[in-house]
Amino acid sequence: MSSSSVYAQDHKPEINAVEIIFDHVQDRYWWHITTINDRHLSIYLPVIVYSSTTGWHVFSSSRLTHDASYKGFYIASEGNYAGKIVERDVGGAEVRPLDISLTKNALALIINSIIMLVIFLSVARWYKCHPKYAVPGGFVGAVEMFVMNIEDEVIRKSIGKDYARYSPYLLTAFFFIFINNLMGLIPIFPGGANTTGNIAITFTLAICTMVAVNVFGNKAYWKDIFWPDVPMWMKVPIPLMPIIELFGLISKPFALMIRLFANIMAGHSIVIALTCLVFITAKMGAAMHAGMTVFSVLLSVFMNCLELLVAYIQAYVFTMLSAVFIGLSRPEHQREKVKK
């Protein structure tokens, strides 16, 4: 064996598990598919940015790989803007341009939304082509089972008699989260994107629920917030209870956002960390490496099976809590339901 080959074996780059995990869970301007003979096969997405000094720019993200710079734009490697496109202002400081680029998560959202549309349009077409008394089977029957389960066991029971008003949003939220969770578990393109583990996406979903709760809340709901049935000293002269109730307007969607984000991101991180054990233990001897490889593979398979369950549970919990919050914003209907 030549000295150069020995040197190459002794100086192989160390596996940085933290970097690999963050590379997976964070959003990117390209979608890495695989590596063949040290060549990276990736989908380079369009970068669309607006600079206050040079105006609009549209170019491929391939121009920004390997710490490259293009027309003054580059991807920051550290600081508050790490992983984002930045430029230098006249003072030499890093600033963010207006960035509406198509990123990995954005492309994944488009793909997953198309999948959801194809599923439900094909199911709707089946019902359109068959008589009302026909009983669906196979895939259409499975989708109907999911829809009826969420409709009857979650939405109807949580909201009450006018549940149908909110069913379209809640069913859309459930299947949107569920499909994105499942696609995130597929390791190859078009799967593998950490969409529901991105806090910007869970924030948007939580805002949608907050709007549904507060915009369509009835008079009794707002009365319980600004003038709740508590002793007078808790409302006047210091509006203690109204302040607490107003804080609840923010804490409820915040809980939805954090719960979904944390659970999905943690699941992705654990699976990637277990996979990295195979490479981290490569230099610890044959016995240790073989044992940790078996352990890593078995535990990774178990975690992926568990993540399938978590994908459904998290979609179910988000939909259930959203329905509960909407039901609580219509207390008169809840009282009527109890009386019946």
Side-chain angles (χ1 to χ4, degrees), residues 2 17 34 62-63 182 202 223 239 257 307 316:
S2 64
T34 187
S62 62
R63 297 183 180 273
L182 290 179
T202 59
K223 176 185 175 298
M257 174 185 69
E307 282 295 296
Y316 182 90

Side-chain angles (χ1 to χ4, degrees), residues 189-219:
F189 180 84
N194 185 38
T195 50
T196 44
N198 186 304
I199 199 166
I201 295 171
T202 59
F203 171 78
T204 304
L205 290 169
I207 289 296
C208 291
T209 294
M210 186 174 72
V211 170
V213 169
N214 294 296
V215 170
F216 300 106
N218 59 19
K219 294 180 180 179

Side-chain angles (χ1 to χ4, degrees), residues 174-197:
F174 171 80
F175 284 101
F176 176 81
I177 296 171
F178 186 46
I179 290 173
N180 276 275
N181 288 349
L182 290 179
M183 291 297 292
L185 298 177
I186 301 174
I188 58 176
F189 180 84
N194 185 38
T195 50
T196 44

Side-chain angles (χ1 to χ4, degrees), residues 107-119 176 179-180:
L107 178 60
L109 286 176
I110 294 172
I111 294 173
N112 297 341
S113 298
I114 292 173
I115 291 173
M116 186 170 68
L117 283 173
V118 169
I119 290 173
F176 176 81
I179 290 173
N180 276 275

